[in-house]
């Protein structure tokens, strides 16, 4: 936040950076503020691409264009075949995927 404020308010950014560098509590939160003399000579944090990827996601199952049920906490790396099998094995799937008269599965 201090680095983002500094280009618009340099004097405020420098004061906050100096305060953070001298504070024991804040220096643990910042990436070595004491190593950079000014906020403008400090490096930006490195991007952690693993933090951008969700571990689990919710999959919405639509049948005939309407939402019928949701699969919660599914692995984000599952392929389409695994998701189709998970959707078919859900307890609500029989109601929508089986023929009401004969009980046989409908074509998917």
């Amino acid at each position: 936040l201090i680095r983002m404020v500094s280009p618009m308010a340099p004097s405020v950014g420098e004061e906050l950076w100096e305060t953070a560098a001298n504070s024991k509590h804040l220096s643990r939160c910042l990436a070595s503020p004491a190593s950079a003399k000014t906020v403008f000579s400090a490096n930006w944090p490195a991007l952690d691409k693993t933090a951008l990827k969700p571990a689990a996601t919710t999959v919405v199952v639509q049948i005939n264009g309407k939402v019928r049920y949701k699969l919660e906490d599914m692995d984000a790396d599952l392929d389409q075949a695994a998701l189709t099998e998970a959707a078919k094995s859900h307890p609500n799937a029989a109601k929508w995927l089986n023929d009401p008269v004969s009980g046989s599965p409908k074509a998917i």
Side-chain angles (χ1 to χ4, degrees):
L1 182 64
I2 296 172
R3 291 181 187 146
M4 292 170 54
V5 168
S6 296
M8 294 172 278
S11 58
V12 173
E14 288 296 332
E15 289 294 324
L16 291 172
W17 188 258
E18 183 179 331
T19 303
N22 293 331
S23 171
K24 292 180 184 176
H25 179 70
L26 289 177
S27 64
R28 285 183 276 150
C29 300
L30 296 173
S32 64
S35 65
K37 298 285 184 194
T38 69
V39 68
F40 295 105
S41 64
N43 293 330
W44 285 93
L47 175 63
D48 183 14
K49 291 185 179 182
T50 59
L52 298 175
K53 183 179 173 187
T57 187
T58 301
V59 178
V60 177
V61 178
Q62 290 185 350
I63 300 173
N64 292 332
K66 297 178 184 175
V67 176
R68 301 300 182 183
Y69 53 92
K70 297 178 182 179
L71 303 172
E72 301 288 336
D73 298 328
M74 297 297 293
D75 186 17
D77 291 332
L78 289 177
D79 60 347
Q80 186 171 355
L83 288 173
T84 303
E85 287 303 315
K88 287 180 183 178
S89 64
H90 193 271
N92 291 341
K95 176 181 176 183
W96 299 105
L97 297 178
N98 292 338
D99 186 18
V101 177
S102 66
S104 62
K106 295 179 183 178
I108 296 177

